[in-house]
Every structure is written in structure tokens, then in C-alpha cells.
């Protein structure tokens, strides 16, 4: 069924063009016509794949989240406990231009999600997935009865989300070196939790 | 000079109307005409005070930041070290509907600031102010030579920024009770830094 394969490939290409456009130009400027033109497609060429701007945006955010999650899976593979948590955190922290672009996408997406419960659910599902991952690694480090473990998990996620904002809007205090040091601080403290 | 007093009062009223509109409706829907109508002003009445949407948005973000900063000053007054840091953090954390509205404003504003260096500077100035406050309180707790202190400061700020996102977009993991527990975790760990 070569036609279906082509459709999937085309959808993927459109989403890749879209996320690079948003990272570079912002989401305000995104409309299907200009995006098609910028990517060398005919006007209306996106419509069969993404009938509305919103369907394209959901697909784009999911694409970015999937890319991050694939990197996490690869980086944390074979690791346990604190080492796995560090590998996870380093894939989310904006430590290079790719991840800074992902942070820009996240900030734009959050703004949209405030006005659209469907988008907010997409975001919350990513967070649920990350909480489940962190639970498994924290479970390798701490007793189930330690009531601080869920707080450690959720404040780690909030730290990472805030670092996404900081890296793109308060960059001098959130350079790569400084973000690495902030992460080391958070991980060092986590390691002392049961001492 | 009663006229000047009126102008200041009018500017303040317009900004208050604006920030409540954004918290309720989002920033996408904000245009000067609808805002004037919603607030019972004549069309064009805002123009002498805020000639463009952007000047109004900058004034609105500054108004919200000033309100938070006044609360911080009041709450932390007479406190030192960890107690002052807790009082500060509780004014930023979205622990009630007012502060959740402020969090919504922040998320919308960050999105705009990504495309506008002038707005990004307004945001970074607020962060600079908070860093200076935290430095003074951390200086009451720790030696200047402790290299982890700047990391504690910056990761605390990133935690608080992430909590703003979480409280409005991932609410079930960031209820008031859970945010309070996350803050306790962060403060407990900070207290053990020099042990």
C-alpha cells in the first residue's frame, strides 16, 4: 500500500516543517498558507492532512514530545535510580539548540493550552508519562513509604519546566553551564533524602 | 493638578481591567476595542493612555509583577534566612485564585516575550530583582564561599516558574496542597545544605 506510506511520510514532513517554523518565528505568525509557501508546498496542500491550524499544532506538540521521549528512552536505557533520573533530566533541560527550540515550542504551546482544554490534556499526558518514569526510578532508590518521594518527583518536573522558560527568556542566568549546575544541585539533594 | 491625578487613576483602571480580561479570556482575544467595550469605555478611550496593544501589555505585566513584589515585601518584612525565602516563595506559588490568575498572565506573557526582546527584558528584570532578594536571604544562611548557593537560588526560581505552568496546565499534580508539599521539600533540602 504505497499510498498510505506516502501519506504518513507527508504528515511527518509537514509537522517537521511546522515545528522548525514555530521555533524560529513563533506561533503568532503561523498560518497554513504561509507555512505551505515557506516549505515549498502549494497553497492548500496541507489541508488533506491537517484540516485546521489546531490539528496541526496538536500533531506538532506530540511530535516534539515523542522526540524528547525517544531520547529519554535511549539515554536512560540500562540505567537505574539517580543515574536514570539524571539522564532523563538532561534530555528535558535545554542544554543545546535543539532542546532550546523544544523549550520555545513548549512555551508557545502552554499559552495556547490555557485557552483549549484539548491541548491542556496533551500537555498533562506528557507530564503523567514523566511522573510514571520518575516513579519507577525513585522506587529503585527509596522506600515506598517515604512521603517525600512524590514531592521530589513533582518538584523535579516543575524545576525542569521552569528551566525551559528560563533558558529562552532569562538566558544569562540559565546558560548551559548554569543549568547543569542547577541540575547537579537538585540531584545531590535528592541523593541525601534517605540519609 | 487634578487632571494628572485623573490620568494616573485612569491608566491604573485600564490596566486592572486588562489583567482580569487576560486571566479570564486569554491574550489571543485581547484587542483594545473589545476590551474597552467589555469595561464600559467608549471605543478609542484607551488610545491616549496606551496607543498600542503592546504598550498596554507591558504595563499590565509590570502591574502584576509590582503587585507580587509588594506582597513579597510585606510578607517577608522582618523575616530572615529560610523564613524570608518561604514567605517570598509563597507569594509566587499559585496557592490561591489570585496567584493562579497571575500564573496565567505569566504564561501568556512568556509566549509574547519570545517574539519581542523588549518584553523579554521586562521579564528578566523581574527575575533579577528576585535573585537579589534571594541572595540577601541566602547570605544570612550560608557562607559566601558555598558555591552551591547560586545554584540553590536559581533552581528555586525555576521551580517556582515551573509551578506556575503546572498549576494552570497540569492542575491535578499541582493542587494547593501538593504545591505546599513541593515547597516544603525544596526548603527542607535547602536547610540541609550546610550540614
Amino acid at each position: 500500500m504505497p499510498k498510505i506510506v506516502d501519506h504518513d511520510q507527508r504528515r511527518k514532513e509537514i509537522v517537521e516543517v511546522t515545528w522548525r517554523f514555530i521555533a524560529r518565528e513563533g506561533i503568532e505568525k503561523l498560518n497554513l498558507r504561509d507555512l505551505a509557501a515557506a516549505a515549498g508546498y502549494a497553497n492548500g496542500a496541507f489541508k488533506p492532512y491537517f484540516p485546521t491550524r489546531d490539528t496541526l499544532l496538536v500533531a506538532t506538540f506530540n511530535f516534539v514530545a515523542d522526540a524528547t521521549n525517544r531520547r529519554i528512552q535511549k539515554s536512560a536505557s540500562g540505567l537505574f535510580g539517580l543515574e536514570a533520573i539524571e539522564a532523563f533530566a538532561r534530555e528535558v533541560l535545554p542544554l543545546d539548540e535543539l532542546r532550546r527550540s523544544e523549550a520555545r515550542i513548549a512555551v508557545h504551546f502552554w499559552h495556547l493550552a490555557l485557552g483549549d482544554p484539548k491541548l491542556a490534556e496533551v500537555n498533562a499526558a506528557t507530564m503523567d508519562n514523566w511522573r510514571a518514569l520518575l516513579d519507577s526510578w525513585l522506587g529503585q532508590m527509596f522506600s515506598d513509604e517515604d512521603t517525600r518521594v512524590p514531592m521530589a518527583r513533582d518538584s523535579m518536573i516543575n524545576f525542569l519546566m521552569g528551566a525551559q522558560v528560563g533558558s529562552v527568556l532569562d538566558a544569562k542566568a540559565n546558560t548551559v553551564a548554569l543549568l547543569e549546575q542547577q541540575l547537579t544541585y537538585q540531584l545531590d539533594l535528592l541523593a541525601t533524602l534517605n540519609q
Side-chain angles (χ1 to χ4, degrees), chain A residues 84-115:
Chain A
I85 293 171
E86 177 171 359
F88 157 78
R90 295 178 67 89
E91 293 302 341
V92 179
L93 271 188
L95 299 176
D96 61 16
E97 196 45 42
L98 170 70
R99 284 167 283 181
R100 266 192 298 278
S101 289
E102 291 179 348
R104 280 187 206 99
I105 300 276
V107 172
H108 284 304
F109 188 82
W110 294 333
H111 146 77
L112 287 181
L114 280 180

Side-chain angles (χ1 to χ4, degrees), chain A residues 19-41:
Chain A
W19 97 256
R20 285 176 204 289
F21 184 94
I22 296 172
R24 200 175 57 240
E25 305 283 343
I27 222 158
E28 300 279 77
K29 290 177 187 155
L30 185 79
N31 67 67
L32 295 183
R33 182 194 304 212
D34 291 352
L35 190 68
Y41 285 78

